[in-house]
Amino acid sequence: MLRAARGGARRLLRDGGLGGPAPPPPPPAHGRLPPRLCLQRCLLQQAPQPTAPPPAVGRWLLVCSGAVAGAVVLGGVTRLTESGLSMVDWHLVKEMKPPRTQQEWEAEFQKYQKFPEFKILNHDMTLAEFKFIWYMEYSHRMWGRVVGLAYILPAAYFWRRGWLSRPLKRCVLALCGLVCFQGLLGWYMVKSGLEEKPDSYDIPRVSQYRLAAHLGSALVLYSASLWTGLSLLLPRHKLPETHQLLRLRQYAHGTTALIFLTALSGAFVAGLDAGLVYNSFPKMGERWIPDDLLAFSPVLRNIFENPTTVQFDHRILGIASVTAVTALYLFSRKIPLPRRTRMAVTSLLAVACMQVGLGISTLLLYVPTPLAATHQSGSLALLSMALWLMSELRRVPK
């Protein structure tokens, strides 16, 4: 009986007394964790934690996009002043030093006189007039080199400092490659205007296809830089994923693509001087649809080579763009949006209306250089507003 009583007492003490909770099991010897838990803790500690790049990277990309915009505007002015064919050769470093003496200028002018633009269009040009168009093209080329350095040098610095994540490294490499390709494409475009064309009676000009490729690659470079910079600097809104918001996001993407296509079609208008064909609005001459709309054969050539068709297409794309922006704005009024997003939608509509006014004025006034350059700049501003809105409507990552 005594042994039974002692055993019962030991059980009561082990169970924490009458009705008390059982104490937790003793920890492993020397405070060690089980092998599986220890391995998991080590892997968590050694795994690299994703860190956001510093704001300087986003600001750098915004500065680069501004530099590209300046190159596009300067290139448009160079085209409008017919200065793009004044420099008849291309050297990466040698041409950075402009002519200084009278003999050097005369030698440069003599090189220009050997090519079709002087023989056909500018045969009575003086040396002073040549200096103006030469400096226009020179400034455009030098600005392009500044843009290249603005991309490559900071990219190397940020890479060395470890401020770029793996996806951002791929993006930066693509941007730097595109800016180098853009310079080569520019010279490839200029070469098309320096070639002798015995069977052509048209004035010498660069190929509208190469001009569109040159502008298109610049717009891609600008858009990618601006989008990435905004994505790094602007925090994402935690918007509820409703059906209406999904439709608004899809409309914004489609509208941005339409704006991009309209800006690209402007390269064909500039390349063919199509803005000087029908200088009336809304009709083209006395008709809504001109008689020579499909004058070329085969029909597909008209879209890219017939000045009348090119202007008609640009009109249609411009009207479609402002209509899409207006519909996007009206649809956005039905959805509760943050203040910054609402500002982006309103700014997009305001710039679209301004751009339409600039386009019509440029057409009616026979394409004056200041107004035409402002219209070209307006296309970049409109594209920027559309990209800003797309950035505001991004999904929050899960």
Side-chain angles (χ1 to χ4, degrees):
M1 293 180 62
L2 183 57
R3 291 181 179 176
R6 290 178 178 175
R10 291 194 190 99
R11 284 194 295 271
L12 287 173
L13 290 174
R14 186 173 64 247
D15 295 339
L18 297 172
H30 307 292
R32 295 178 180 173
L33 293 174
R36 181 178 298 178
L37 294 178
C38 183
L39 179 61
Q40 291 177 356
R41 176 174 292 185
C42 291
L43 291 176
L44 290 174
Q45 290 176 352
Q46 293 177 3
Q49 299 297 325
T51 58
V57 177
R59 297 191 189 103
W60 160 62
L61 289 172
L62 291 186
V63 170
C64 287
S65 66
V68 175
V72 172
V73 173
L74 187 56
V77 176
T78 302
R79 175 70 188 87
L80 289 167
T81 55
E82 298 181 348
S83 307
L85 300 178
S86 57
M87 297 180 69
V88 296
D89 47 16
W90 188 87
H91 301 283
L92 183 61
V93 179
K94 183 180 178 181
E95 72 180 23
M96 295 179 68
K97 180 182 176 182
R100 295 185 179 181
T101 65
Q102 183 70 14
Q103 291 78 11
E104 290 177 346
W105 274 114
E106 289 178 355
E108 193 72 25
F109 191 28
Q110 288 175 3
K111 289 195 297 183
Y112 174 69
Q113 292 173 358
K114 298 176 182 178
F115 288 87
E117 186 176 65
F118 177 83
K119 296 177 181 178
I120 299 175
L121 187 64
N122 294 332
H123 52 85
D124 56 347
M125 175 177 281
T126 64
L127 181 60
E129 294 170 336
F130 171 71
K131 287 182 179 181
F132 171 77
I133 64 172
W134 192 93
Y135 271 119
M136 286 297 302
E137 174 65 10
Y138 174 79
S139 61
H140 181 53
R141 293 192 184 189
M142 291 305 104
W143 188 261
R145 285 163 172 78
V146 171
V147 172
L149 294 176
Y151 274 94
I152 295 173
L153 294 182
Y157 173 77
F158 293 144
W159 194 302
R160 185 175 181 83
R161 293 294 300 269
W163 290 357
L164 305 178
S165 61
R166 181 173 296 181
L168 196 54
K169 284 180 179 179
R170 291 195 294 266
C171 178
V172 168
L173 282 177
L175 292 176
C176 292
L178 186 57
V179 75
C180 296
F181 172 74
Q182 176 72 0
L184 297 175
L185 190 57
W187 172 242
Y188 179 67
M189 175 193 71
V190 170
K191 282 185 64 177
S192 66
L194 300 175
E195 298 170 353
E196 297 279 355
K197 300 174 183 177
D199 299 332
S200 175
Y201 297 96
D202 200 0
I203 62 173
R205 56 163 61 99
V206 299
S207 165
Q208 70 271 24
Y209 296 102
R210 299 186 190 184
L211 177 61
H214 189 47
L215 176 62
S217 63
L219 292 177
V220 170
L221 179 63
Y222 173 77
S223 301
S225 303
L226 181 63
W227 171 265
T228 309
L230 292 176
S231 301
L232 294 176
L233 292 177
L234 296 181
R236 303 192 188 193
H237 298 293
K238 295 182 179 179
L239 302 173
E241 290 293 329
T242 62
H243 179 66
Q244 284 186 321
L245 181 63
L246 179 61
R247 289 180 60 191
L248 179 65
R249 188 181 289 130
Q250 293 173 344
Y251 289 167
H253 291 181
T255 302
T256 303
L258 183 59
I259 292 171
F260 185 95
L261 182 61
T262 305
L264 188 61
S265 72
F268 289 93
V269 175
L272 294 171
D273 289 328
L276 299 173
V277 178
Y278 287 94
N279 297 94
S280 58
F281 190 86
K283 291 184 178 181
M284 298 182 71
E286 299 296 328
R287 303 175 63 88
W288 290 102
I289 300 178
D291 295 330
D292 55 342
L293 186 66
L294 300 176
F296 290 7
S297 180
V299 177
L300 189 61
R301 282 185 57 203
N302 291 278
I303 300 176
F304 304 107
E305 299 180 12
N306 186 343
T308 299
T309 312
V310 167
Q311 188 193 117
F312 180 82
D313 292 343
H314 192 62
R315 290 185 184 214
I316 297 300
L317 287 171
I319 294 172
S321 296
V322 72
T323 303
V325 170
T326 305
L328 179 67
Y329 173 80
L330 295 176
F331 183 72
S332 70
R333 302 295 296 177
K334 303 177 182 180
I335 306 173
L337 296 173
R339 181 174 178 270
R340 201 176 67 202
T341 309
R342 185 69 62 192
M343 287 178 57
V345 178
T346 306
S347 301
L348 178 62
L349 178 63
V351 175
C353 295
M354 179 194 71
Q355 179 67 353
V356 169
L358 287 172
I360 295 174
S361 302
T362 301
L363 185 68
L364 297 179
L365 296 175
Y366 291 87
V367 197
T369 298
L371 195 57
T374 307
H375 181 54
Q376 292 179 355
S377 305
S379 65
L380 278 177
L382 185 59
L383 182 61
S384 303
M385 295 301 104
L387 291 170
W388 177 25
L389 177 60
M390 284 178 54
S391 177
E392 293 293 331
L393 296 175
R394 287 175 298 160
R395 285 188 176 92
V396 178
K398 296 182 179 179

